Amino acid sequence: MSEILLIAEHRQGQLRPVSLELVGAAQAARRSPSERIVVALIAQDAAGLVPSVSVAGVDEIVTVRSPVAEFEPEIYERAVRALIEARRPALVLLAHSVDSFGFAAALAADGSCGFASDIFKIEYDSNGKLVATRGGYGQKVAVEVDFPDKNVIVLAVRSGVFRAPEGSAAPQVAAFQADLGRPRTSSVGFIESSSADDVDMSGAEFILAIGRGIGEQANVERFRELAETLGATLGCSRPVADAGWLPKSRQIGQSGKTASACKLYVAMGISGAIQHLAGMKHVATIVAVNSDAGASIFSVAKYGIVGDLFEVADALEQHFK
Amino acid sequence: MKLLVAVKQVAALDEDFAIRADGRDVEPDFLVRDLNEWDEYSLEEAMRIKEAAASPVEVLVVCVGPQDADEALRKCLAKGADRALRVWDEALAGSDPIAIARVLAAVARKEAPELFFAGVQSSDHAFAATGVATAGLLRWPHAAVVAALNYTPGAKTAVVRRELEGGALHEMQIECPAVLTIQLGINAPRYASLRSIKQAAAKPIEVLGLGELGLAPSQVGEAGSAARVRRMYIPDRGRAQMLKGSLEEQAARLAQIIKDAAGSAR
């Protein structure tokens, strides 16, 4: 019987929530309800993680003992390769995440399986061939891909698209023996992001965020004043933090903070890279101001103004004085 | 001592564009090409290692692409790369990251660098796959999303920090030679001076075909890829309600939206 194999992720002893979204993706992607959904746990203490993946929809959990506690790309690559060879799943799903950036493509490099990344839709054509959809050209187009002559397909799935199932279950648990060898990388430790700036972006309810469109560092002050006048917390997109114009603690997005408590988000000069949207697209009221009418930010915003940031800032400020 | 930097000439879409007649890509006339943003950072990282080294280090930039990709390579030469190499064959059209990696791995075997750099992803198709697929073919150690690197040329290991979701860093030691995919913000890329741009225009770019790398046409292009594009289309997307009128009218409306929404938020 065919199965869908999911590769769970964990860090510092905790399951990463995106792993459960893979269960939702597998439910959406299976050809028939009889297709089994199997979760692989590759960990030093796999048993300790079993309860966190014992969720509705999972038919089986397969544990693979890793010689190391934290993620090492070669350990994951070897373990998943061994699982694919032993179980011949039709489909392998993993998260499009920092960890799988480290090994997923290497699995496909020998030509043995189909592979595509950042997938947000999985379906079958009239001939029963799997078709996966991703974005292209800065997410301005959708791209359907297929996998001619591949018996195993590995897909890295975009986070925040598929829903984690609700409710727990008691799937069977089996141990899988694999010689994972010695990794040529070794974990030294984790460094939490620290900053002299103790702003709490996750807790902010009203955020004014600035992006590359502000042009230069000297202009940050203009928007800091505007944020103060409006009563907003000043945030930014990645290029502003990378350039050192604002501290990293104010960056919204995948590798920054999520605007968890935010109800009103005013984005000025932010084009809307997918990594930025991941941190704010859920906000109820998003307003975007950008000089480029084609900017991706307008696809998630409720209201938009195409215009000059500085002129809009000046005119807007008049209403709050 | 050699550092290899794999670069891509990416394509951005013009404001208006059209899908190609076969429905599988965009009409090339609507593409605006440039060096991938991530690659500016990996080149800079290689240049910094070179400039801090006690012994000579060669920085080699490699691009898989047709002749117009020379522009991306010249940009790298202008920033100080020592050599530029471009690989092309018509059979490479339609290649996915796995097929491109097959070419890059062949170049790496030939050139034997101590470190192989690639960007985390490209700004056009954002596969986040080419560098690590290359490592898989070479069977070299690899680390992805590197936001800090400590390496002394000739050392047997390097120390990298992977940038994780949420901004925390994971420090790892890695054996060399290794493949590293470099994240934005790891450094501040330099600008090329006008003088060096002029000099770069006169520098040679080595060009190789598949045969010189021991590759067959069937190993690249669609035949050598892990995925094939079926269809490209413009998705139906949510669209903001655009505020119309004069600047004053737009600002007044925006102020009202902010006051209404912030009333509950503040």
Side-chain angles (χ1 to χ4, degrees):
Chain A
M1 195 182 336
S2 75
E3 66 180 39
I4 300 178
L5 180 68
L6 316 182
I7 312 303
E9 273 184 29
H10 57 91
R11 189 171 290 152
Q12 295 178 289
Q14 299 292 315
L15 186 81
R16 295 202 61 242
V18 67
S19 305
L20 299 181
E21 293 178 16
L22 296 178
V23 181
Q27 286 172 324
R30 67 178 156 187
R31 288 170 192 270
S32 81
S34 67
E35 197 164 38
R36 288 163 55 79
I37 297 177
V38 180
V39 178
L41 276 175
I42 303 158
Q44 198 167 41
D45 174 28
L49 290 164
V50 163
S52 59
V53 291
S54 297
V55 298
V58 175
D59 296 300
E60 184 183 343
I61 296 168
V62 53
T63 61
V64 187
R65 195 181 139 73
S66 167
V68 293
E70 295 299 341
F71 173 80
E72 306 283 348
E74 288 182 299
I75 293 294
Y76 269 66
E77 188 185 327
R78 289 170 194 155
V80 176
R81 197 183 292 282
L83 283 164
I84 290 174
E85 277 165 18
R87 305 184 68 105
R88 305 306 301 175
L91 183 60
V92 179
L93 301 181
L94 32 77
H96 188 62
S97 64
V98 171
D99 280 3
S100 51
F101 286 4
F103 76 97
L107 282 174
D110 66 0
S112 62
C113 48
F115 172 72
S117 60
D118 201 16
I119 297 304
F120 55 79
K121 190 174 172 188
I122 305 167
E123 59 198 339
Y124 296 89
D125 71 7
S126 52
N127 298 318
K129 293 282 179 206
L130 188 146
V131 178
T133 308
R134 63 191 316 282
Y137 295 114
Q139 307 298 322
K140 287 188 176 165
V141 299
V143 186
E144 286 180 358
V145 296
D146 62 8
F147 310 90
D149 309 320
K150 303 290 186 191
N151 295 322
V152 180
I153 297 165
V154 178
L155 299 180
V157 176
R158 181 180 291 182
S159 65
V161 174
F162 295 97
R163 231 172 223 289
E166 285 171 19
S168 58
Q172 67 177 94
V173 181
F176 177 75
Q177 306 294 333
D179 177 16
L180 302 181
R182 186 189 66 90
R184 291 172 293 177
T185 54
S186 56
S187 178
V188 178
F190 291 89
I191 302 114
E192 293 306 320
S193 53
S194 63
S195 168
D197 185 4
D198 60 357
V199 67
D200 174 22
M201 294 310 298
S202 305
E205 297 190 345
F206 176 16
I207 293 171
L208 172 74
I210 52 176
R212 214 195 288 260
I214 67 160
E216 55 183 289
Q217 183 166 20
N219 294 330
V220 171
E221 216 35 53
R222 173 71 193 91
F223 292 93
R224 198 192 304 278
E225 282 169 20
L226 178 64
E228 253 171 55
T229 307
L230 302 183
T233 305
L234 185 66
C236 65
S237 62
R238 172 151 208 147
V240 172
D242 277 349
W245 299 351
L246 280 176
K248 198 86 179 156
S249 54
R250 289 185 184 260
Q251 183 184 323
I252 307 291
Q254 212 155 55
S255 50
K257 301 286 177 271
T258 300
S260 311
C262 189
K263 297 188 178 80
L264 171 60
Y265 194 94
V266 180
M268 302 194 81
I270 293 177
S271 62
I274 186 103
Q275 293 85 356
H276 184 74
L277 303 186
M280 48 65 78
K281 66 176 182 218
H282 58 275
V283 175
T285 306
I286 298 169
V287 183
V289 183
N290 204 292
S291 57
D292 173 14
S296 301
I297 191 82
F298 290 122
S299 68
V300 299
K302 192 167 177 184
Y303 304 102
I305 295 178
V306 178
D308 180 87
L309 301 183
F310 300 91
E311 287 177 13
V312 173
D314 289 345
L316 178 61
E317 204 161 45
Q318 298 308 316
H319 296 269
F320 290 83
K321 282 189 167 163
Chain B
M1 181 66 47
K2 197 183 288 181
L3 303 172
L4 192 158
V5 182
V7 303
K8 179 179 181 184
Q9 192 185 40
V10 294
L13 293 180
D14 256 342
E15 205 164 306
D16 291 308
F17 62 91
I19 301 289
R20 212 167 62 188
D22 71 356
R24 297 175 65 204
D25 206 338
V26 167
E27 280 286 354
D29 290 355
F30 297 99
L31 300 176
V32 183
R33 299 183 191 275
D34 199 359
L35 176 64
N36 180 33
E37 189 183 0
W38 275 262
D39 303 344
E40 306 246 8
Y41 292 83
S42 48
L43 174 64
E44 179 66 31
E45 203 59 21
M47 290 304 300
R48 288 182 184 205
I49 292 170
K50 172 187 165 76
E51 286 159 359
S55 51
V57 173
E58 180 182 76
V59 173
L60 167 65
V61 286
V62 179
C63 182
V64 179
Q67 194 173 357
D68 66 0
D70 280 353
E71 212 177 308
L73 288 170
R74 294 218 183 274
K75 197 169 180 183
C76 298
L77 289 170
K79 290 183 181 218
D82 298 292
R83 279 173 62 208
L85 172 64
R86 182 170 63 80
V87 183
W88 188 244
D89 186 295
E90 289 305 321
L92 279 156
S95 293
D96 79 344
I98 303 300
I100 299 294
R102 214 158 273 137
V103 176
L104 293 174
V107 173
R109 282 192 198 101
K110 196 166 183 260
E111 296 284 345
E114 271 69 31
L115 284 178
F116 180 112
F117 294 100
V120 167
Q121 61 185 36
S122 57
S123 56
D124 50 4
H125 293 300
F127 296 111
T130 311
V132 168
T134 306
L137 289 162
L138 293 168
R139 299 182 186 278
W140 284 9
H142 49 278
V145 199
V146 171
L149 167 63
N150 193 339
Y151 173 71
T152 308
K156 289 191 170 64
T157 60
V159 176
V160 300
R161 287 179 174 183
R162 296 193 299 139
E163 183 188 73
L164 306 174
E165 290 87 357
L169 299 168
H170 182 205
E171 189 168 297
M172 296 178 116
Q173 194 176 62
I174 185 165
E175 294 176 17
C176 301
V179 174
L180 305 179
T181 76
I182 301 296
Q183 176 62 308
L184 302 175
I186 187 172
N187 52 41
R190 69 194 62 193
Y191 291 96
S193 68
L194 274 175
R195 191 167 147 266
S196 61
I197 291 170
K198 271 187 193 156
Q199 286 171 341
K203 281 193 186 170
I205 290 175
E206 301 163 46
V207 180
L208 291 182
L210 291 176
E212 289 150 295
L213 292 169
L215 292 169
S218 62
Q219 290 176 282
V220 298
E222 277 186 9
S225 291
R228 176 184 69 173
V229 174
R230 270 167 83 101
R231 183 166 84 102
M232 213 175 263
Y233 62 96
I234 300 164
D236 290 331
R237 292 201 299 191
R239 187 73 193 157
Q241 179 191 330
M242 292 296 176
L243 307 184
K244 304 278 184 226
S246 67
L247 177 64
E248 279 64 37
E249 287 163 341
Q250 288 175 314
R253 179 87 177 88
L254 179 52
Q256 196 54 51
I257 289 165
I258 290 173
K259 284 174 180 165
D260 290 348
S264 56
R266 274 194 288 181

